[in-house]
Amino acid sequence: MRTIKGPGVFLAQFAGDEAPFNSLKGLAGWAADKGFKGVQIPTWDRRVIDLEQAAESQGYVDEIKGTLDEHGLVVTDLASHLQGQLVALHPSFNLPADSFAPAKVHRDPKARQDWAVNQLFCAAKASRRFGLDRHTTFSGTLLWPYFYPYPQWPDGLISDGFDELARRWRPILDAFDQEGVDVCYEIHPTEDLHDGLTFEMFLERVDNHARCNIMYDPSHLVLQSIDYLAYIDHYHQRIKTFHVKDAEFRPTGKTGAYGGYQPWVRRAGRFRSPGDGEVDFGAIFSKLTGYGFDGWAVLEWECCLKNSEDGAAEGARFIRDHIIQVSDRAFDDFVKSGTDRSVNNEILGI
């Protein structure tokens, strides 16, 4: 067993256009003041990082590490959710998702996809320069408009969709493998990899690729009524990154899992600050520790009620209080009798 690292914080939800949130230096000072020890960097946000430069320049990467070190911080991992989304995107999302990419590739799905794939190649190289061995992203979605089987799916639609998803991601997984970095897909509604079965379908099609892994976020499982603790039992060998995000699911006589097109505060399933929802994080930290998870516990703060400053401060404390410092000895060593094979044989009557 190993002690989980933390607390870390995903900077995506806090970056903004006003100081201190408009630069890595400002965010680093803010995160350290809140009590965090690591930061997960959103690679699409040029206020925080220039991904292309990080892929090519060790000096640039060392500057970032130095900026963080001044505040007692390290990089937990790099994240490419927006770019990963664009690796595989159903045409119905073309216009809404254009904002994820530079203006030069807007309204040009092929150019946008090529840009996204190159971004992932850069992320693999940049991760290696940072000395990281895991990376978090989204799988993208070719099939989400068809998650409910009506109108009835044409024969082979789902299989063909997953075949194409695997075809697009296989070269990216190979590129990460060359850099010694795992790809951790956040299991998330609207992504083709949104539960255990869809992850298995994809994993089979990439030949159980060693770099194909999971970013575990229990909130997305709660909102699907998935047993988020049993999920760890099934997939702990593939869980390499971990978001601490809470949620609650409160179905009523009027709405349930689909949300009724309501704003977050009125949805049956909604995200909450850690400790304010229904996720049993004590059990999660126990399971991950027992299975030897050696990554970071990273706060992804999203809450429809609480303000972000309180959420960040409380989140850092929440994670710190839930990390289990692994014991270096068994609790009952004081009654240990030692090893004597002859005594064992006598006890067994052999």
Side-chain angles (χ1 to χ4, degrees):
M1 295 187 297
R2 303 181 187 182
T3 299
I4 295 173
K5 304 180 187 75
V9 60
F10 190 21
L11 295 180
Q13 282 81 8
F14 299 100
D17 292 328
E18 297 182 1
F21 306 107
N22 59 352
S23 70
L24 182 63
K25 182 177 180 180
L27 282 163
W30 170 86
D33 288 344
K34 295 295 184 186
F36 294 105
K37 301 299 182 183
V39 294
Q40 185 181 49
I41 294 181
T43 59
W44 60 86
D45 194 331
R46 296 179 71 88
R47 294 169 298 194
V48 178
I49 189 173
D50 183 325
L51 182 58
E52 293 88 348
Q53 189 173 357
E56 299 301 327
S57 171
Q58 188 62 48
Y60 175 71
V61 166
D62 290 342
E63 287 180 13
I64 291 177
K65 294 170 71 174
T67 297
L68 296 176
D69 185 62
E70 291 175 2
H71 298 278
L73 298 169
V74 298
V75 179
T76 66
D77 61 303
L78 305 180
S80 62
H81 293 77
L82 301 194
Q83 300 99 314
Q85 184 80 60
L86 298 178
V87 169
L89 190 72
H90 188 274
S92 62
F93 299 118
N94 273 338
L95 292 181
D98 258 351
S99 62
F100 295 172
K104 64 182 180 181
V105 297
H106 287 183
R107 295 182 178 270
D108 188 340
K110 179 61 168 62
R112 188 185 59 205
Q113 180 187 335
D114 290 345
W115 172 84
V117 170
N118 185 65
Q119 286 277 293
L120 268 297
F121 290 152
C122 288
K125 294 178 180 178
S127 294
R128 188 254 305 161
R129 290 193 182 278
F130 274 101
L132 302 169
D133 62 0
R134 58 202 76 187
H135 176 84
T136 300
T137 193
F138 275 156
S139 68
T141 177
L142 298 173
L143 289 168
W144 187 253
Y146 312 106
F147 83 99
Y148 195 84
Y150 187 84
Q152 188 177 18
W153 301 326
D155 289 344
L157 176 67
I158 304 304
S159 179
D160 290 348
F162 272 92
D163 288 347
E164 176 63 16
L165 189 70
R167 186 191 69 79
R168 296 191 189 189
W169 274 102
R170 183 59 188 260
I172 299 171
L173 289 167
D174 290 343
F176 273 87
D177 189 38
Q178 291 176 6
E179 305 295 344
V181 181
D182 290 326
V183 177
C184 305
Y185 295 101
E186 180 166 355
I187 304 303
H188 188 290
T190 74
E191 305 303 311
D192 283 342
L193 307 191
H194 57 267
D195 61 9
L197 295 179
T198 51
F199 177 76
E200 291 178 10
M201 293 165 69
F202 179 73
L203 182 63
E204 179 183 7
R205 286 166 168 80
V206 294
D207 302 317
N208 294 301
H209 203 294
R211 298 299 177 184
C212 179
N213 290 286
I214 290 172
M215 201 291 293
Y216 175 76
D217 182 334
S219 69
H220 300 305
L221 305 180
V222 166
L223 300 195
Q224 298 180 71
S225 296
I226 294 173
D227 186 332
Y228 57 87
L229 295 177
Y231 195 96
I232 298 174
D233 295 328
H234 287 300
Y235 302 111
H236 60 90
Q237 292 180 323
R238 295 277 177 174
I239 294 173
K240 299 296 179 68
T241 55
F242 168 34
H243 272 174
V244 177
K245 187 167 71 173
D246 211 341
E248 58 189 1
F249 184 56
R250 310 163 304 122
T252 70
K254 292 186 176 182
T255 189
Y258 300 146
Y261 295 111
Q262 298 302 300
W264 279 110
V265 72
R266 295 182 60 189
R267 295 175 72 90
R270 57 188 191 176
F271 301 126
R272 300 298 307 277
S273 279
D276 293 347
E278 65 183 62
V279 175
D280 185 348
F281 281 102
I284 288 174
F285 275 82
S286 294
K287 276 189 177 288
L288 289 176
T289 300
Y291 281 123
F293 175 74
D294 63 351
W296 282 79
V298 174
L299 173 70
E300 184 185 25
W301 182 84
E302 293 179 350
C303 184
C304 59
L305 297 176
K306 185 170 289 182
N307 75 76
S308 60
E309 287 292 310
D310 288 346
E314 293 174 7
R317 290 194 300 270
F318 185 88
I319 293 172
R320 185 170 59 249
D321 291 345
H322 278 78
I323 290 175
I324 299 168
Q325 300 297 324
V326 174
S327 176
D328 57 0
R329 63 182 180 86
F331 69 88
D332 56 355
D333 274 354
F334 72 99
V335 293
K336 190 173 183 179
S337 60
T339 302
D340 187 325
R341 296 297 295 278
S342 64
V343 173
N344 291 347
N345 289 341
E346 185 177 352
I347 291 172
L348 295 170
I350 58 177

